[in-house]
Amino acid sequence: MEKKVDETLLERKTSWDGQQLVKYDGFWFSEMFFRQILSAQNHFVAKDSDVILSTVPKSGTTWLKALAFAVANRGIHPNTDRNPLLTSNPHTLVHSIEINLFHRENPNLEYLSSSTSSTISSRMLSTHMPFEILPDSIRESACKIIYVCRNPLDQFTSLRHFLIENRIKKDVVPLGLDESFDMFCDGIHGFGPFWDHILGYWNAHLENPGKVLFLKYEDLKEDIGCNVKKIAEFLECPFSLEEEKRGAVEEISRLCSFENLKNVEVNKSGYVMDGLLKNSTFFRKGEVGDWTNYLNHEMAERMKKLMQSKFEGSGLMFKT
Ligand code: PAP
C-alpha cells in the first residue's frame, strides 16, 4: 500500500553545512533526497537476483561498490588492466536507488526494468537507506544485501570534510567542529543516527546471514583478500582454486585499492550527480584513525561511552 506522509508535520533541523534535514520514522534525511526515498519506498520493486550495497554515508560506499562490481563481473571483465573501474567512477557503475534511480521524483523506470552494468542476470544497486526504511520488497525478496560500516569517529571526520567541501550553499558558514560533533552524537546527520543504522543491518545479518553480509571498513583495511573472498562466496560466485592460484583475489584487491582508484584519471577530474560532486572528494585519505588529527581526547571519550551505551549487548565492536 502506498505510504502517504504529511511533510508539514515532520521535524526539521539545519545540518552542519546548511542543508535541511527531515526526521522520518526515527531517522534524519537530507531534504534533497527525502521525496526520492519516499518514492523508492513506494515504487521500487526488488528482484530476487538483485544485489544491494548499503552503507551509512562515508563508511566505505565507494570501496564496496568497486569491490562488489569487480568480484561479480570478473567473468565479463577478467582482465583488471581493462576493467571499467579504470575509466568510470564506482558510483556511475553501481547506481544508488534513492539518489540516481528516483532522482527528482522521476524514477528511471527503463533502468529499473533492465539489468544494469553489473552481472548480466542481476542488478547491482546501492542505498544509504536504513534497514527499517528499505522498500518492503528488498527485505521480503530473496535479494542479497552487503552492508559496510566504519568506526564512527572516522566516519564523522570523513563526513565533515565531504560536506564542507561539497556544500551547495557556498555562502553558508558551516557549523564549527564542536557543534557538528554534538549533532553527530545526537544522531542528527544524513541517514542517522549512525548507531540505529548500523544496528538495523547488524540484527538483520544475525537473523539471516545468507541475506545480509555485514562488513567493517577496518576489517577490509586489515585483510582485503579475505574480505574479497567473503564477498564472492556471499554472492555465490566463489573464487575457484585456479583463480586463486593465478592471483585473481590479489588483482581485484589491488584494482580497488585506494591508491589505485584515487589516481585513475576519471576519479581525479570527473564529477557525479549532475556535476554536483567532484569524484576526487570520494578519495580523501582512506585511512583508519584519521580522526586523531581532528578530534580531542574528550570527544573520543564521549564517543566511546556513546558506542558502549548504544552497542552494549549487541556483540558489535569497532577498531578505532
Ligand atoms: P559515500 O557514502 O558518500 O559514497 P564513502 O565512499 O563511503 O562515501 O566514503 C568515502 C571515504 O572512503 C573516504 O574516507 P576518508 O574521508 O576518511 O578519506 C575515502 O577516502 C574512503 N575511500 C574511498 N575509496 C576507498 C578505497 N578504495 N579504499 C579505502 N578507502 C576508500
Side-chain angles (χ1 to χ4, degrees):
M1 203 173 64
E2 178 140 346
K3 283 185 196 159
K4 291 257 183 267
V5 176
D6 182 350
E7 291 185 38
T8 58
L9 299 177
L10 300 177
E11 192 182 346
R12 285 176 158 74
K13 290 226 190 261
T14 304
S15 180
W16 331 336
D17 58 336
Q19 63 172 301
Q20 285 297 298
L21 294 175
V22 188
K23 193 173 190 187
Y24 169 66
D25 261 5
F27 288 92
W28 290 94
F29 300 99
S30 159
E31 183 114 62
M32 243 181 13
F33 304 126
F34 181 57
R35 297 229 173 100
Q36 297 164 213
I37 287 165
L38 293 181
S39 179
Q41 271 196 322
N42 284 324
H43 303 292
F44 180 77
V45 182
K47 297 181 186 177
D48 287 342
S49 55
D50 284 348
V51 176
I52 311 289
L53 310 180
S54 182
T55 52
V56 68
K58 304 300 143 197
S59 298
T61 321
T62 314
W63 197 6
L64 177 62
K65 285 186 181 190
L67 290 166
F69 177 88
V71 166
N73 290 297
R74 67 190 194 276
I76 314 170
H77 306 293
N79 187 342
T80 44
D81 293 341
R82 272 182 280 142
N83 195 282
L85 283 161
L86 299 175
T87 44
S88 304
N89 176 272
H91 293 282
T92 58
L93 294 172
V94 180
H95 285 114
S96 155
I97 295 174
E98 65 273 17
I99 298 173
N100 305 115
L101 302 194
F102 286 85
H103 191 43
R104 301 205 182 100
E105 294 175 82
N106 180 20
N108 187 340
L109 295 173
E110 196 186 321
Y111 185 99
L112 282 168
S113 62
S114 68
S115 64
T116 70
S117 48
S118 94
T119 47
I120 303 287
S121 58
S122 69
R123 300 183 299 183
M124 187 173 283
L125 298 165
S126 75
T127 185
H128 287 317
M129 284 185 261
F131 188 77
E132 296 80 351
I133 302 286
L134 288 174
D136 291 342
S137 64
I138 295 186
R139 275 177 282 122
E140 289 161 9
S141 70
C143 77
K144 285 180 178 271
I145 300 173
I146 307 181
Y147 184 72
V148 68
C149 60
R150 187 179 192 184
N151 84 72
L153 292 166
D154 280 333
Q155 188 222 332
F156 168 77
T157 305
S158 182
L159 181 62
R160 185 170 154 79
H161 278 96
F162 185 85
L163 288 182
I164 292 178
E165 169 88 21
N166 289 308
R167 69 188 188 283
I168 295 165
K169 298 178 180 168
K170 295 285 183 213
D171 53 326
V172 170
V173 180
L175 276 189
L177 180 67
D178 287 343
E179 287 160 294
S180 32
F181 190 69
D182 279 348
M183 284 183 83
F184 188 74
C185 290
D186 287 338
I188 307 168
H189 57 96
F191 300 93
F194 65 84
W195 58 85
D196 282 335
H197 202 288
I198 295 171
L199 282 170
Y201 284 94
W202 175 245
N203 291 330
H205 157 74
L206 294 179
E207 211 166 282
N208 190 353
K211 165 99 183 159
V212 182
L213 176 66
F214 190 93
L215 303 172
K216 292 185 197 147
Y217 184 95
E218 294 74 26
D219 294 345
L220 298 184
K221 275 275 171 190
E222 204 168 283
D223 188 345
I224 187 62
C226 159
N227 283 286
V228 164
K229 285 200 260 179
K230 217 186 248 184
I231 291 171
E233 277 155 28
F234 179 74
L235 295 180
E236 294 169 20
C237 56
F239 286 87
S240 65
L241 268 181
E242 185 275 325
E243 281 183 300
E244 289 206 26
K245 266 194 213 145
R246 72 171 154 82
V249 175
E250 290 74 18
E251 267 181 38
I252 287 181
S253 308
R254 214 168 16 248
L255 170 71
C256 301
S257 70
F258 178 80
E259 294 70 26
N260 191 48
L261 292 185
K262 184 185 173 72
N263 290 311
V264 163
E265 190 50 43
V266 70
N267 293 331
K268 289 200 274 188
S269 55
Y271 287 81
V272 286
M273 269 186 72
D274 296 338
L276 266 183
L277 302 177
K278 281 191 223 156
N279 289 346
S280 60
T281 57
F282 290 96
F283 303 91
R284 194 181 61 91
K285 280 197 185 168
E287 289 172 2
V288 176
D290 183 44
W291 64 269
T292 53
N293 295 313
Y294 302 93
L295 308 181
N296 61 32
H297 178 69
E298 207 175 280
M299 289 163 139
E301 277 304 301
R302 176 176 174 188
M303 179 57 80
K304 204 169 131 192
K305 284 196 187 116
L306 179 64
M307 282 162 68
Q308 269 164 1
S309 74
K310 297 297 178 187
F311 297 136
E312 195 178 10
S314 70
L316 258 176
M317 302 244 289
F318 287 94
K319 293 177 193 132
T320 53

